[in-house]
Amino acid sequence: MYLADAVKLKSILRKQLEQLVEEVDRIAFVDLEKGEALPTAQERTLPDVESAMDEVRRDMRTLDRLVYAANLSTMIETTEGEMPLVEAIELATQLRAKATQFQELAARPKREFQYGFEGTTVIRHALYDPDAYRIKAQEIERSAHRISNAINAANYRTEIDFDGTRYM
């Protein structure tokens, strides 16, 4: 299975576990009027659902371990050199945050009139060039996109040893 599919499968497993938890709530109790007899049989018993939950949880742990190992062992090339996927993912996240901050600085005017107390006028001066930060933000964002593209490509060429056919 490709690493990209494993990431999707993790989401599927979380959803399946949530559904099993809901099923426990549905089958663990029955509301009856006083004197009414308990039903004789259920389609699935509480132990059946608990067993299914244990299996999904075991698969989730195995999948997590394999994904984490692949994220550490798979290397990609970045402008900062070769690094494991896990580090590249964090770098892309950091670059996006930096680009957002620079975009906010770029959106501010070079001079901004503010109103002070008792009719005084205060002028806030930017101690930087907003247009230069706009350009920096674009460059950083492009770098984050390149890293994200390399991560996606690595996710589709990296395989892990997990059979997800039961879920996908």
Side-chain angles (χ1 to χ4, degrees):
M1 153 181 297
Y2 289 110
L3 186 55
D5 294 328
V7 171
K8 292 174 194 169
L9 180 55
K10 285 176 65 169
S11 176
I12 291 169
L13 290 174
R14 277 191 296 276
K15 184 172 175 72
Q16 185 162 7
L17 188 60
E18 289 172 12
Q19 291 170 344
L20 288 167
V21 167
E22 290 172 7
E23 186 176 355
V24 165
D25 289 340
R26 283 193 312 273
I27 67 169
F29 302 96
V30 63
D31 294 329
L32 301 171
E33 288 186 25
K34 186 175 181 178
E36 194 175 349
L38 287 172
T40 55
Q42 289 179 284
E43 193 171 312
R44 279 179 32 126
T45 65
L46 191 55
D48 292 337
V49 178
E50 289 171 351
S51 176
M53 290 173 75
D54 289 343
E55 189 174 335
V56 170
R57 286 179 175 133
R58 186 173 32 260
D59 285 343
M60 288 173 79
R61 289 191 311 271
T62 301
L63 192 59
D64 275 347
R65 177 178 43 81
L66 294 170
V67 167
Y68 293 154
N71 280 341
L72 283 170
S73 64
T74 303
M75 304 297 281
I76 65 166
E77 193 60 44
T78 71
T79 55
E80 295 188 13
E82 191 175 66
M83 62 180 62
L85 276 177
V86 68
E87 188 176 351
I89 291 167
E90 180 60 27
L91 176 59
T93 301
Q94 291 173 357
L95 288 174
R96 282 194 183 87
K98 186 176 183 177
T100 298
Q101 181 185 33
F102 283 13
Q103 288 167 349
E104 289 169 2
L105 288 170
R108 301 295 303 263
K110 184 74 175 155
R111 283 182 27 180
E112 183 176 14
F113 290 92
Q114 299 183 342
Y115 300 98
F117 295 105
E118 298 177 13
T120 62
T121 302
V122 175
I123 301 172
R124 173 178 272 178
H125 296 269
L127 301 177
Y128 62 93
D129 179 6
D131 197 48
Y133 273 83
R134 181 187 57 77
I135 293 166
K136 286 181 181 183
Q138 290 171 345
E139 291 168 359
I140 292 168
E141 201 166 37
R142 278 194 294 272
S143 181
H145 291 321
R146 282 191 298 273
I147 292 169
S148 290
N149 289 340
I151 290 166
N152 287 337
N155 283 341
Y156 281 102
R157 74 170 179 266
T158 303
E159 292 190 37
I160 62 170
D161 186 22
F162 187 87
D163 181 12
T165 55
R166 191 171 46 218
Y167 305 104
M168 295 176 79

